């Protein structure tokens, strides 16, 4: 099976940890590439390279403000990731239901009066 290009597949794009960090920073609002680079300890060309990949898969949008280019999150690009992870929702819900039932059993056992042993 051929591997999808990083610039055409959102899963490949977010597989890189620094790109995920960029997305996390952009959740709080738009930022200039220089701010992102500084915050992540990257060079500006390095940050620009990651931003280009994220833009090409539709996860960020950019616009020019004066002499700077600012980037913002476009969360619509995460729909394929959300759709895929949603397939595991039933697993987690069942696990949480079992955990909830166990906790209720423990709470009920703790509230029951302790039987004293008779000699």
């Amino acid at each position: 099976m051929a591997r999808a290009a990083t610039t055409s597949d959102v899963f490949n794009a977010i597989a890189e940890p620094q790109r995920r960090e960029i997305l996390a920073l952009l959740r709080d609002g738009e930022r200039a590439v220089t701010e992102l680079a500084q915050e992540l300890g990257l060079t500006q060309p390095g940050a620009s390279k990651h931003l280009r990949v994220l833009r090409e898969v539709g996860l960020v949008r950019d616009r020019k403000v004066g002499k700077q280019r600012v980037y913002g999150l476009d969360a619509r690009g995460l729909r394929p990731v959300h759709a895929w992870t949603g397939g595991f929702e039933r697993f987690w819900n069942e696990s949480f239901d079992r955990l909830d039932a166990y906790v209720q059993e423990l709470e009920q056992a703790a509230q029951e009066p302790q039987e004293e042993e008779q000699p």
Side-chain angles (χ1 to χ4, degrees):
M1 178 189 250
R3 190 171 158 211
T6 301
T7 56
S8 65
D9 182 87
V10 69
F11 289 96
N12 282 334
I14 63 171
E16 210 292 319
Q18 289 179 322
R19 291 187 197 129
R20 291 194 306 270
E21 289 182 49
I22 289 171
L23 293 175
L25 289 172
L26 293 177
R27 283 188 302 208
D28 297 331
E30 292 181 330
R31 292 183 188 222
V33 64
T34 51
E35 288 178 60
L36 291 167
Q38 187 174 15
E39 191 133 357
L40 297 173
L42 299 171
T43 62
Q44 185 176 341
S48 293
K49 180 181 163 188
H50 288 307
L51 286 163
R52 180 185 53 79
V53 171
L54 293 171
R55 187 183 64 236
E56 288 180 4
V57 297
L59 293 175
V60 299
R61 56 184 161 28
D62 64 329
R63 65 186 177 93
K64 196 165 183 169
V65 177
K67 292 182 178 180
Q68 288 189 322
R69 188 158 294 281
V70 293
Y71 290 85
L73 178 66
D74 188 350
R76 292 175 298 176
L78 290 170
R79 283 184 184 145
V81 176
H82 182 264
W84 186 78
T85 57
F88 296 95
E89 189 174 322
R90 193 179 101 214
F91 167 78
W92 287 110
N93 286 340
E94 289 172 358
S95 295
F96 286 129
D97 288 346
R98 286 193 306 271
L99 178 62
D100 187 45
Y102 179 68
V103 169
Q104 286 181 9
E105 283 176 25
L106 291 176
E107 287 175 348
Q108 197 169 20
Q111 291 176 355
E112 290 177 3
Q114 300 290 325
E115 290 184 29
E116 293 183 27
E117 291 185 27
Q118 302 284 329

